[in-house]
Amino acid sequence: MTETLDLSHWIDGEKVAADRPSESLNPSDTREVVARTPDGGEAEVNAAVAAAKAAFPAWSEASPEVRSDILDRAGTLVMERREALGRLLSREEGKTLAEGIGETVRAGRILKYFAGEALRLHGQNLASVRPGVEIQTYRQAVGVYGLITPWNFPIAIPAWKAAPALAFGNTVVMKPAGRTPATAEALVAILHEAGLPRGVLNLVIGRGRVGQAIVDHPDVDGLSFTGSQGVGAGVAAGAMKRQARVQLEMGGKNPLIVLDDCDLDRAVQIALDGSFFATGQRCTASSRLIVQDGIHDRFVAALAERVAALRVGDALDPETQMGPAVSEDQMETSYRYIEIARAEGGRVVTGGERLTLEKPGWYVQPTLIADTDAGMRINNEEVFGPVASILRVRSYEDALAVANGVEFGLSAGIVTGSLKHARDFQRRARAGMVMVNLPTAGVDYHVPFGGSKSSSYGAREQGFAAAEFFTQTKTAYSWS
C-alpha cells in the first residue's frame, strides 16, 4: 500500500482547508485509497473567481518574459519529477506506468512550449485606405477562464488548457475530474512552486455543482471543457446565455479504414495501438475498424491473436500492457456495450468475458467484435473502453461513406499503400484530424487539436491555434 494523500483546493495562492468526504481509489486495487478529497461548491468557486479577477490586471500587464519563465520552470519541474508524477497518475487513473510517465513528460513539454509562445504573440501592421493613417492589430488577454478537465488525461489536458491561458496573461479557475483530482492538484502545486503569483491559478475540487458554478459565474469570461456531449451541451448553453467564450471537446467514434493494399503487419499494429492502449480510454481511440473485403479475414485473425495476447493487470506492474478502466461505471459501460453488440448480431472474436485477477480492480478484457453493420449502436455510440468493432466493406468509397456516417468527427485514419486514396481521404474525411498509416490516437502538442460535427465546438486547442481562444484581437488606428 502507498500513502493516502489529503487534497485541498487552491484559492488565491494557498491551500484551503476543507473536509474531505470523498475518496479517489486505485482502479488496479480498489482496496487502496489514493486520495481523500474535498467536495467544493458555489462558495469555493466564488472565492476562486474573485481571486482570479483581482489577479488579472497585474498578471496580464506583466512582461511576457515573467510568464514565460514561470511556465518554463514548471515544465522543468514536471519532467524532473516524471517518475513520481507518472506513478501517481497510474495509481489514480489506471494507465500503465509507462503511459503515466509518458503523459507526464507531455505535460512538461506543453508547459515549455507555451513558455515560448508567451514571447511570440504577435500582431500586424496594415496600410490604411486613408493617407497618413496607420493601423496595428495586437492580441490581449481576455480575463478569467474556467477550465473543466477530464479524467482520462489528468495531467496533460489540465496542462494544455492552463498553459496557453496563463502564457497569454489570463487567470484561471480549474475544476479537475472527480476521479483524478490528485494528479491535477500536483500540477497546480508545481506551477505555484515555479513562482505563479497569488490568484492567477485556482483549483476547486468537487462534483458537478463545481463545474456548474463556474459555468454560471458572471465574472468567468471564457470556458474550456473536455468531456461528454451531454455535459458539453449544458456548458455551451450556460456560456452563450451570458456571452462568455466557450470551447468544447466532446469525444469521438473514430474510424480506421484498412484497405486491401495495406501493409498487413503495420495495419494490425496501428489498430492494436489505436483501439486498446490506454485501455481504449482516449477520445481519439480507433473504435470502428472498417476493413475491405480482400484483406478482412486475414486482418481479423491477425488482430484477434494480438488482442488476445495483451496482458491486462495492475498499472504499476512492468509486465502489464493494458491497465484497468478508471472506475466501476466505466468498466460496466464496456461490458454493457459488448452485450448490446451481441444482441444486435455482432460476433465476439476475442474477449468479452469478465476478468478476475489477483487484486480487486476494474479490469476489462480487451474485446474485438466482428460482423457488425453501420446501424448498430456499437458503431454509433462512444464506449470509451477497450472495445473495437469491425465493419466489412467492398471498396474505398464504401469505407469512406461508413467512416463519415456518424455524428462524431474527431479523428479518422486510413491504412493504405495508395497515394491516391490517402490524399483523397485527407480531403474528404469529415474529421478534424486525419491520420495516414498511423493510429487515430496519438497527436503532437504543438499543433491544433479538435474535431468536426458533434465532437468539438469553438476554437481549436493546442499549438499556435490556442491564441485564437485565449486572446482577443484589438485594432488600433493612429494619425500623425
Side-chain angles (χ1 to χ4, degrees), residues 85 89-90 92-96 98-107 110 148-162 174-177 179-185 187 226-227 249 254 273-274 277-285 326 382 384 410 440-445 449 461-462:
L85 290 168
L89 191 161
S90 295
E92 188 174 48
E93 196 272 349
K95 282 185 169 75
T96 65
E99 291 168 335
I101 293 171
E103 182 185 332
T104 300
V105 171
R106 180 188 181 92
I110 290 167
I148 302 173
T149 64
W151 50 260
N152 63 321
F153 284 90
I155 194 167
I157 292 181
W160 91 39
K161 290 183 186 294
M174 182 187 295
K175 179 205 173 297
R179 292 168 182 164
T180 55
T183 310
E185 196 215 34
L187 175 65
T226 298
E249 293 294 343
N254 308 295
D273 182 317
F277 288 175
T279 321
Q281 296 177 148
R282 298 184 283 187
C283 56
T284 53
V326 72
E382 189 174 36
F384 223 66
L410 183 56
T440 58
V443 295
D444 289 355
Y445 58 83
F449 177 97
E461 294 195 273
Q462 295 202 79

Side-chain angles (χ1 to χ4, degrees), residues 39 54 194 197 275-276 281 365 372 379 386-387 394 468:
D39 187 13
S275 300
F276 298 101
Q281 296 177 148
Q365 192 172 35
T372 73
N379 289 318
V387 181
R394 290 174 297 177
E468 293 294 329

Side-chain angles (χ1 to χ4, degrees), residues 284-309:
T284 53
S286 308
S287 52
R288 294 183 295 145
L289 307 177
I290 304 166
V291 188
Q292 197 172 2
D293 264 333
I295 204 169
H296 177 276
D297 293 350
R298 287 183 292 146
F299 173 83
V300 171
L303 180 58
E305 183 178 354
R306 296 286 302 277
V307 172

